[in-house]
Amino acid sequence: MNTLTQQGVITIANDGPLISETNYWATQYSHSGYAYLTWNSGTARLLVPENLKPALRDMSTAKHVIISRGPHVISGGRDAIEILFEDFSDAPYSLMLGIEQTDRMPSERIIKDFPLTIWTREGLKQSHRGKFRQVNRLPCLSSW
């Protein structure tokens, strides 16, 4: 994942919580299959590369989304982010992102309840209620 920092800059033009323009889908991040989490106006926006588009169906069943930040034990404790699409099933969909796959972390004021939107090259695809927490280890995969 360290190569992500060498693959170019992702630019995003915002219209409040909406994305009006981005070069993400033309970058090596997207071509390599890496999702990207960006924040603006109190909203988390998940940019989904082409190879993850089939997962939109699994993401759509979420009752809410939990973003957990902590050390990823499998990668030697690297700082990481888990995005859990909580649908209260035995196997909810989740994504693990390296910290370099986000532009920032949320401020304290939006930790408990914020919108999370999902974007593909074609535009806005889904909207969910999000929650953020710090955890002692990832993967966490725990309900709120």
Side-chain angles (χ1 to χ4, degrees), residues 37-114:
L37 184 66
T38 178
W39 299 80
N40 199 62
S41 296
T43 300
R45 292 101 46 100
L46 182 65
L47 306 181
V48 177
E50 292 296 316
N51 70 312
L52 290 180
K53 283 173 69 173
L56 290 171
R57 173 184 277 165
D58 293 328
M59 294 177 192
S60 71
T61 64
K63 305 303 180 207
H64 60 266
V65 177
I66 303 167
I67 299 175
S68 302
R69 180 181 185 179
H72 187 243
V73 295
I74 298 168
S75 68
R78 283 187 56 237
D79 199 11
I81 301 165
E82 173 186 273
I83 303 175
L84 177 70
F85 291 83
E86 180 60 89
D87 61 3
F88 300 104
S89 70
D90 290 339
Y93 185 79
S94 67
L95 284 172
M96 189 70 65
L97 279 61
I99 203 70
E100 64 277 1
Q101 289 174 257
T102 187
D103 57 4
R104 66 182 73 91
M105 289 283 92
S107 67
E108 294 292 322
R109 63 183 172 79
I110 64 167
I111 284 182
K112 292 184 182 169
D113 195 25
F114 55 87

